[in-house]
Amino acid sequence: MVFSSLLALAFAALPALAQTDFSSAHNVTAIGGTWSSGSQQVVTGSGFANPATLSFTYPNVTGVSFAFSEDGWYETARYRFVSNGSSPNCITGVVLWHHGSYTFNDNGSITLNPLADGFQQVQDPCAAESNFIQQYNTTEIYQLWSITEDTNGPLLRLYDSGSAPLAPMSQVYSTPNILPQKLLNNGTEATITGTSSSLFVSSASRQWAPAELVSLASSVFAVGVASLLL
Ligand SMILES: *[C@@H]1O[C@H](CO)[C@@H](O)[C@H](O)[C@H]1NC(C)=O
Ligand SMILES: *[C@@H]1O[C@H](CO)[C@@H](O)[C@H](O)[C@H]1NC(C)=O
Ligand SMILES: *[C@@H]1O[C@H](CO)[C@@H](O)[C@H](O)[C@H]1NC(C)=O
C-alpha cells in the first residue's frame, strides 16, 4: 500500500519534471533568440564586450544574458558579484563573455563549447592580485533548461552544472544579438593585471541584484578564482 502510494506520488511528480525537459514540445518557444535577466541591461553583442581589446562596457546593474542561433551558435554575457562567506566585506566582481557552439544532449542538458577568445575580468579588492583579465576557455554544461510563458512573454530558465538556477531570462529579441561567429582575438594566454577600469566605480549608483549575489561557503574559496568559473 505504502509502496503503491509512493509510486503514485512519483508519477504525479513526472509532469513537473517534464517541464524542464529539453524537447521543444515542453517549451513554449524555441531557445533561439536573445535572453536577458532582470532589468535586461546585460545583453550579449557589441554593447557588452570587445574581444579584440579584451574590454567590457560595464552595465549599470548585474545580470546574465544568453543568445542562441538556430545553427548551433551561442554567446553569453554575465556580470555578477560574488560575496565571500568568511569575509562579508570582500565582494568579488566578475564580468564574463564567451561564445562558441552549443549542443543539446540526450539527457536534456546543454553543453557550451567556447572558442578560445572568451575572457573575464575579476576584481577582488581583498586579494593580492586585485584586478585582472584572463582568458576564459572552459566547457560549460547546463543540466536542465525550460522556457515557460510569463506575463511579459517567454522566460528561459537555465540550471548550471550543480543544478543551481541562473536568474530567469526574458526574451529581448527573437533573433540572436551576437558578435561575428568566429575567433575574435588570438586566444591570448597573457593575463592583463592592474587594469585601471574598475567594476566598483560609482558603486553608489550601481544596484546589486540580490539574485546575482552568490553566497559561497568558505570551503569553496579554497579553489580560489576557479570557483568563479562555474
Ligand atoms: C575570502 O576571504 C578570506 C579571508 O579574508 C580570504 O582569505 C580569501 O582569499 C577570500 N576569497 C576570495 C575568493 O576573495
Ligand atoms: C548529461 O549528458 C552530458 C553529455 O553527455 C554529460 O556531460 C552530463 O554529465 C550528463 N548529466 C547527467 C546529470 O548525467
Ligand atoms: C581551449 O580549450 C580547448 C579544449 O579544452 C583546448 O583544446 C584548446 O587548446 C584551448 N585553447 C587555448 C588557447 O587555451
Side-chain angles (χ1 to χ4, degrees):
M1 272 306 158
V2 172
F3 176 73
S4 63
S5 53
L6 279 180
L7 209 61
L9 270 178
F11 278 108
L14 271 181
L17 286 175
Q19 292 296 315
T20 50
D21 193 277
F22 73 102
S23 118
S24 58
H26 298 112
N27 291 309
V28 296
T29 182
I31 201 168
T34 305
W35 306 84
S36 173
S37 69
S39 55
Q40 303 171 353
Q41 295 192 39
V42 175
V43 180
T44 52
S46 58
F48 183 80
N50 184 344
T53 57
L54 296 182
S55 61
F56 293 99
T57 303
Y58 308 137
N60 288 328
V61 297
T62 55
V64 59
S65 177
F66 277 83
F68 294 95
S69 76
E70 304 294 347
D71 63 351
W73 193 263
Y74 81 90
E75 180 171 319
T76 183
R78 196 165 186 186
Y79 176 29
R80 61 181 169 154
F81 289 95
V82 183
S83 67
N84 183 335
S86 62
S87 307
N89 294 334
C90 294
I91 291 175
T92 303
V94 184
V95 270
L96 168 68
W97 175 91
H98 54 101
H99 68 175
S101 59
Y102 71 90
T103 50
F104 294 124
N105 303 314
D106 289 343
N107 61 14
S109 63
I110 299 180
T111 302
L112 306 184
N113 300 294
L115 294 190
D117 55 0
F119 65 109
Q120 67 178 355
Q121 181 175 4
V122 178
Q123 260 189 299
D124 178 356
C126 303
E129 206 176 350
S130 64
N131 184 9
F132 58 91
I133 292 172
Q134 63 182 182
Q135 182 190 28
Y136 185 88
N137 179 27
T138 307
T139 300
E140 291 188 349
I141 185 152
Y142 291 89
Q143 293 293 1
L144 288 171
W145 61 280
S146 72
I147 301 171
T148 53
E149 190 65 27
D150 183 52
T151 46
N152 298 318
L155 205 61
L156 169 65
R157 287 187 172 82
L158 287 174
Y159 298 81
D160 71 16
S161 57
S163 295
L166 273 60
M169 290 168 269
S170 302
Q171 192 172 47
V172 283
Y173 308 113
S174 58
T175 54
N177 188 56
I178 52 176
L179 293 174
Q181 296 173 236
K182 60 179 188 183
L183 198 65
L184 298 174
N185 63 40
N186 59 5
T188 179
E189 284 168 39
T191 289
I192 300 172
T193 55
T195 60
S196 54
S197 48
S198 173
L199 305 181
F200 292 92
V201 164
S202 71
S203 59
S205 63
R206 186 161 289 159
Q207 285 172 262
W208 292 356
E212 290 293 316
L213 261 181
V214 186
S215 220
L216 296 174
S218 51
S219 62
V220 173
F221 286 101
V223 292
V225 165
S227 68
L228 300 171
L229 304 183
L230 291 176

